[in-house]
Amino acid sequence: MPSDSLLPRLRFGLIADPQYAPIEPNLTLNRYYAKSLDKLEAAIARLNAEDLDFVVTLGDVIDRDFDNFDRVLDVYGGLRHRTLFLPGNHDFSVAPEHLAKIHDRLGMPSPYHDFVSKGVRVILTDGNEVSLFAPPPGDPRRQEAETRLAALRAAGAANAQTWNAGMSAAQVEWLDGRLKLAEAAGEPAIVMGHYPLAPANDHNLWGAEEVAGVISRSPAALAYFCGHNHAGNYGLLNGTHFVNMKGMVDTADENAFSVVELFDDRLEIHGFGREEDRRLSITSTALLSPVVG
């Protein structure tokens, strides 16, 4: 069956860092937490007008207080598309007794998982796994986080920050395995997470270089999408695009979200509000055969 490069294989929406909370804005950081509900409603109205396969929110759905999920998820209830969430660091700024409930509250089958949509493998990672905030108190991953953070600080790493986090070795191995599965099946792969991996930045995941290497070495991996750095960013490693989407919570009035289209030879990002339009070439030739179904 011949490929028609005029038609996208996959279309999906991306939202990053709504960070809703009914609190006063942080003028220093230019974050207007309470205004995110109106921005989300506007974004959902626009996304509902599109033919999309799914919509992913790349973390920081709320900012503090577990009860804030009720209000913001009520707004997400108006989204007619398949709705997927990745939690970010601010989603765990809740009372300790609620920490173990976050993934269930967001309707996630597990903290990291993948699925296939129209022949494309979509891999959702958990960058909060080893952190000072997501594991419950007493969990050994907190001690691991303290050890890793101390090592990064000793090395003078820019991302040696308490608001960053990392993946376990087991998850990195899982990610590598899912990419190898995609390669064997002839599936293009798109990876998503909360924390940036490339280029170097003070917001990057702990161990970003290793994880970016796993992704960029895979001929299946077309792109990695993330949030966390609200200013946005972009990098290219070995033909894989690393795209950091801008934070919705920033500014009093400007929105930020996007629609992504995957074609045989390119990714097109259609940005709304502060988000940029991008046309990103797919340079891997191994997976450019038509996807059917």
Side-chain angles (χ1 to χ4, degrees):
M1 179 178 176
S3 173
D4 185 349
S5 62
L6 297 177
L7 298 176
R9 300 182 176 199
L10 198 66
R11 300 186 86 240
F12 56 91
L14 290 177
I15 296 169
D17 303 86
Q19 217 167 309
Y20 166 69
I23 58 176
E24 292 299 311
N26 183 324
L27 300 180
T28 302
L29 295 177
N30 199 23
R31 295 180 184 175
Y32 291 77
Y33 310 97
K35 290 181 175 290
S36 286
L37 291 184
D38 289 340
K39 293 180 184 179
L40 271 174
E41 287 179 348
I44 287 169
R46 186 67 187 84
L47 294 173
N48 280 344
E50 299 283 341
D51 182 14
L52 302 176
D53 296 292
F54 53 84
V55 175
V56 179
T57 298
L58 297 164
D60 287 354
V61 181
I62 64 163
D63 189 299
R64 78 199 70 177
D65 193 349
F66 188 76
D67 289 342
N68 289 338
F69 281 115
D70 294 341
R71 185 68 187 93
V72 75
L73 292 178
D74 183 59
V75 174
Y76 272 103
L79 188 58
R80 71 180 183 91
H81 306 295
R82 180 181 184 184
T83 307
L84 300 153
F85 294 97
L86 288 173
N89 52 307
H90 287 278
D91 293 308
F92 293 95
S93 58
V94 299
E97 62 267 25
H98 295 305
L99 288 173
K101 306 174 186 176
I102 302 299
H103 298 103
D104 283 345
R105 189 68 187 90
L106 293 174
M108 300 174 64
S110 59
Y112 51 92
H113 56 100
D114 65 336
F115 62 93
V116 176
S117 180
K118 294 184 176 177
V120 179
R121 186 163 296 272
V122 181
I123 304 172
L124 305 180
T125 62
D126 176 21
N128 307 291
E129 186 180 17
V130 178
S131 67
L132 298 174
F133 44 81
D139 190 300
R141 291 174 296 171
R142 287 206 177 210
Q143 181 58 55
E144 182 183 350
E146 290 178 1
T147 301
R148 291 178 68 173
L149 180 58
L152 287 167
R153 284 176 170 167
N159 65 334
Q161 308 291 343
T162 58
W163 30 263
N164 292 330
M167 296 181 187
S168 67
Q171 185 184 172
V172 176
E173 184 178 356
W174 172 86
L175 172 60
D176 185 54
R178 304 319 284 177
L179 289 168
K180 284 183 168 61
L181 179 64
E183 294 167 28
E187 298 164 344
I190 292 173
V191 187
M192 300 191 191
H194 180 61
Y195 299 90
L197 300 178
N201 186 271
D202 63 354
H203 282 69
N204 281 14
L205 183 82
W206 299 341
E209 298 85 354
E210 178 191 10
V211 179
V214 167
I215 295 171
S216 63
R217 284 193 297 270
S218 171
L222 305 181
Y224 173 82
F225 292 100
C226 67
H228 191 52
N229 178 5
H230 295 196
N233 211 342
Y234 171 78
L236 181 66
L237 293 177
N238 196 31
T240 301
H241 302 282
F242 290 79
V243 188
N244 186 167
M245 315 309 291
K246 295 182 179 180
M248 178 178 278
V249 70
D250 293 43
T251 78
D253 302 307
E254 291 183 279
N255 216 332
F257 62 98
S258 61
V259 169
V260 181
E261 295 182 310
L262 170 59
F263 294 86
D264 288 348
D265 61 347
R266 67 194 186 280
L267 282 158
E268 290 191 4
I269 300 173
H270 305 280
F272 296 86
R274 293 166 43 247
E275 193 52 74
E276 300 176 43
D277 291 339
R278 299 181 189 270
R279 184 184 174 100
L280 306 174
S281 297
I282 295 174
T283 57
S284 173
T285 59
L287 298 170
L288 298 186
S289 58
V291 170
V292 179

